[in-house]
Every structure is written in C-alpha cells, then in structure tokens.
C-alpha cells in the first residue's frame, strides 16, 4: 500500500520541493498550505510527472483548519508514515528594542504552535502506521542568535525545543523525530515575506553568494533522512551552503 506523507507549507520554496521529491520517492503526498491555487499547480506538476498528491487547504494557526488536515489524512489512500512540519518563516529584522510584537506573535504562531497543532493532530495516524516519522524544519537560527534576528531565532529555538522534547517523549513508540536545520536557502519568498515584499532588501540577503542552497537541496536532505531504515534516527541535520561557514561568516564575491 502506498505510504502517505504530509507536507505543510507546500505552496512554495522548501515545502513545494519536498512535496515533489517525496512524490518521486513513491509517497502519496498531502500538500498543505493556505494558497490553494499554488497547491493545485503543484499537484498538477506532480501528477504530470507520474506521482500522486492531494492539495489540502490548511492554515497551521487555526485549530479548525488543522482538524481538516487530520480528516484529509484519515481519508488518504494508505498509512500516514511521514509528517514534514515545514510551514514557517520570518518577519522583520528589527532589534529586540524596537521589534514588532505582532511580528513576533506571527513567527511564534506559525513556526512553533503550527508545528505543535499539526503534530498533535497527526500523531495518532503516524503511530497507527507502526513506522512513523516526524520531520521538523527548524533552522540554524534554532541554535544561533544574530542581531535583528531576535523574533525569528526565538521562534526557531522554541521549534527546536519541541523537536527535542518530542523525541524524548516518544522514545519506545514507533515514531522517530528528525530535525532539519538549514542555513541560507535562496527560496522565492522567504526573504520577501521577511521584508514585507521589499524585493531589493530580499535580494541583498543573497548578494554576492555564488551558490546559496536552493529548495531542492533541503528537500534532498529531508528525503534522505526520511527514507533511511526506520530504526535509523537522524536526530538533527545541519546544512549550509559552502559559502556560509557560520551565521556571521558568509563569503560574498567582491568583499
Ligand atoms: N529560506 C531559508 O533561508 C530558510 C533557512 C532555514 C530554515 N527555513 C525554514 O524553512 C521553512 C520553509 O521556508 P521557505 O524558505 O521555503 O519559505 P517560503 O518560500 O516563504 O515558504 C513558506 C511556506 O509556509 C507556508 N505558510 C506560511 N504561513 C502558513 C500558515 N499559517 N499555514 C500554513 N502554511 C503557512 C506558506 O504557504 P501559504 O502562504 O500558501 O500558506 C509557504 O508555503 C520555514 O519553516 C523556514 O523558517 C528557511
């Protein structure tokens, strides 16, 4: 029977690439996000390539919406063996002194409470499969802080704490927990969202970096971890582009 994988935040970037990749690996993918027209395009592309996927409208900040995702999982054509908690993002690059409480709230709700809501809703199905995997897409911001990153790093530290705690709590049950921590990934929307649609500020993040990671690189890491034999638990995978030795140490051409 085909295994079912659920990917949140599948309408763009890392989530979309992961949905495509997992479908190519043979999963029936439930692709979840708020923008259904983008999900429809994604599903059409997956099906055109011979894969299987279903679009599910889901806002991870809404209990009701997440209950709908769990219902879609229950109706899916196979055991739910994989959940990729990817929905998330950053808003703002302001110092703690003047950061927007609203931005901090958004980041906490989507990255942390979104992961909590979706995980709670899908845990019974993952456990019932007898071989469940939960992937949490956190960030290098989950273990490092940087100036202006207070809200995002606080949220990602919290998301990392959820992953670590869950692994301890699930020990002895058939569900592994894998944390993926990417550094700089050039996705179409991440920095645009962070800077409220300011394309110039968004482009400056990657300026002079020869080869930042792209969404497919992270999807490759997620797929590799998730397709190891089930007793192999990659606790945490940290992945950065070659040009980024650390959060503060990025090689940029001409500098
Ligand atoms: N890009 C990077 O440099 C980088 C580095 C490390 C970690 N990450 C993490 O990787 C993940 C994906 O990032 P990305 O670069 O692919 O960003 P992205 O292109 O901006 O994608 C973010 C995704 O999250 C979804 N999303 C946002 N709010 C949501 C909500 N309330 N409910 C459901 N889905 C929601 C968006 O879909 P809708 O708007 O359609 O709902 C979108 O599909 C995030 O958790 C991010 O923090 C990114």
């Amino acid at each position: 029977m085909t295994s079912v994988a659920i990917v949140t935040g599948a309408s763009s970037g890392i989530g979309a690439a992961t949905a495509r990749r997992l479908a190519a690996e043979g999963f029936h993918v439930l692709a979840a996000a708020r923008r259904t027209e983008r999900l429809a395009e994604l599903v059409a592309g997956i099906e055109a390539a011979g894969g299987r996927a279903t679009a599910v409208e889901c806002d991870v900040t809404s209990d009701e919406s997440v209950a709908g995702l769990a219902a879609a999982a229950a109706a899916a054509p196979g055991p739910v063996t994989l959940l990729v908690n990817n929905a998330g993002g950053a808003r703002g690059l302001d110092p703690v002194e003047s950061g927007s409480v609203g931005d901090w709230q958004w980041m906490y709700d989507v990255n942390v409470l979104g992961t909590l809501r979706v995980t709670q809703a899908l845990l019974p199905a993952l456990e019932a499969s007898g071989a469940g995997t939960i992937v949490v897409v956190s960030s290098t911001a989950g273990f490092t802080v940087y100036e202006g990153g207070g809200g995002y790093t606080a949220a990602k530290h919290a998301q990392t704490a959820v992953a670590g705690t869950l692994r301890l709590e699930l020990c002895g049950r058939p569900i592994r927990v894998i944390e993926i921590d990417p550094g700089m990934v050039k996705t179409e929307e991440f920095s645009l969202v962070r800077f409220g649609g300011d394309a110039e500020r968004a482009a400056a993040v990657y300026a002079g970096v020869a080869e930042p990671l792209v969404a497919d690189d992270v999807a490759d890491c997620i797929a590799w971890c998730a397709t190891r034999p089930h007793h192999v638990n990659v606790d945490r995978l940290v992945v950065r582009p070659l040009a980024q030795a650390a959060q503060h140490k990025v090689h940029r051409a001409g500098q």
Side-chain angles (χ1 to χ4, degrees):
M1 210 178 217
T2 308
S3 291
V4 173
I6 296 160
V7 181
T8 67
S11 62
S12 81
I14 294 168
T18 301
R20 280 191 291 269
R21 175 62 185 270
L22 292 176
E25 298 278 350
F27 287 92
H28 182 114
V29 177
L30 296 195
R34 294 167 303 175
R35 287 172 294 172
T36 49
E37 69 293 348
R38 293 184 67 118
L39 292 177
E41 271 174 45
L42 173 78
V43 168
I46 288 173
E47 287 175 346
R52 280 165 291 188
T54 306
V56 183
E57 181 174 2
C58 179
D59 179 344
V60 301
T61 68
S62 154
D63 292 342
E64 196 188 348
S65 190
V66 171
L69 176 61
V80 178
T81 59
L82 175 58
L83 164 64
V84 182
N85 282 299
N86 165 77
R91 270 198 193 165
L93 195 62
D94 305 308
V96 172
E97 192 176 11
S98 58
S100 147
V101 171
D103 284 349
W104 281 56
Q105 260 168 354
W106 180 84
M107 289 186 275
Y108 199 82
D109 205 7
V110 179
N111 293 283
V112 188
L113 302 183
T115 296
L116 176 67
R117 279 190 194 90
V118 175
T119 299
Q120 286 182 339
L122 272 307
L123 259 174
L126 288 160
E127 184 154 30
S129 78
T133 298
I134 297 172
V135 172
V136 175
V137 182
S138 184
S139 170
T140 51
F143 58 84
T144 314
V145 295
Y146 55 93
E147 289 128 304
Y152 185 57
T153 59
K156 286 302 193 185
H157 273 67
Q159 197 181 7
T160 286
V162 172
T165 307
L166 194 57
R167 191 178 305 110
L168 294 173
E169 291 172 353
L170 293 177
C171 185
R173 290 160 67 185
I175 309 169
R176 59 184 171 180
V177 179
I178 295 165
E179 179 188 336
I180 306 286
D181 292 331
M184 182 189 284
V185 191
K186 190 173 181 183
T187 54
E188 56 212 283
E189 295 190 331
F190 179 83
S191 293
L192 265 185
V193 170
R194 177 166 225 166
F195 298 121
D198 184 335
E200 212 171 302
R201 259 188 109 187
V205 171
Y206 314 102
V209 179
E211 285 181 295
L213 295 180
V214 294
D216 281 336
D217 296 321
V218 182
D220 190 35
C221 294
I222 293 170
W224 181 78
C225 291
T227 56
R228 293 313 86 208
H230 194 253
H231 68 283
V232 178
N233 195 151
V234 180
D235 281 6
R236 168 184 266 187
L237 191 155
V238 178
V239 56
R240 304 180 202 262
L242 178 60
Q244 186 185 37
Q247 211 79 13
H248 64 280
K249 180 79 179 169
V250 179
H251 179 75
R252 295 179 193 271
Q255 285 184 17

